[in-house]
Amino acid sequence: QRKNPFSNGDRLASKPVHTHRGDPTYGRPPEGSQTEQRGKDAHSHVGKEVEELCLIIRSTGEVGEDGHVSVTFGQLFETYVTISNKVVGILLRARKHGLVHFEGEMLWQGKDDDVIITLL
């Protein structure tokens, strides 16, 4: 690129240094970049959707003998789909963070309507 007549020399100087797998900045956008800010904004947005999902489970579900609130996927889907069409993705994120529990890898509308989702 240094010999390319169409290349701007300033761009070369601003390119980040490549990191290696052991480096804590590996796979992360440069600090202070717009990419980093977009990632933080997206993370915050998804966190709010997970919180909202948990509130909906709490308000529509029933308290079981173990004290946990549970709701069927079909009931949750019908309630939550009017708010967001990403209910399955948000459920998976909530399970990843240990907020809900349900059997199976993925939930499908119609097929898994009777699967019980428990708020932890």
Side-chain angles (χ1 to χ4, degrees):
Q1 283 293 327
R2 294 191 191 284
K3 294 181 181 179
N4 185 343
F6 302 106
S7 180
N8 183 350
D10 296 338
R11 281 185 47 214
L12 290 174
S14 67
K15 280 197 172 189
V17 178
H18 291 292
T19 57
H20 301 285
R21 284 189 190 259
D23 190 345
T25 61
Y26 179 77
R28 301 211 176 257
E31 255 186 72
S33 67
Q34 288 182 341
T35 303
E36 181 189 39
Q37 186 58 46
R38 283 190 295 268
K40 287 179 180 179
D41 293 345
H43 184 74
S44 173
H45 178 74
V46 170
K48 288 175 187 172
E49 286 207 26
V50 168
E51 283 180 37
E52 186 177 6
L53 176 73
C54 291
L55 289 173
I56 290 171
I57 292 172
R58 182 172 282 122
S59 66
T60 60
E62 298 176 8
V63 180
E65 294 175 6
D66 59 357
H68 293 294
V69 178
S70 297
V71 65
T72 63
F73 176 65
Q75 183 182 1
L76 179 64
F77 189 89
E78 289 302 316
T79 304
Y80 195 77
V81 79
T82 59
I83 300 165
S84 172
N85 60 355
K86 303 176 286 254
V87 65
V88 175
I90 300 300
L91 270 171
L92 292 173
R93 178 63 64 102
R95 179 170 67 178
K96 179 180 175 183
H97 290 289
L99 300 172
V100 299
H101 171 75
F102 57 88
E103 295 297 324
E105 286 294 313
M106 181 68 78
L107 296 174
W108 303 97
Q109 184 187 12
K111 177 181 163 231
D112 294 320
D113 283 349
D114 296 328
V115 172
I116 296 173
I117 299 166
T118 305
L119 184 63
L120 303 174

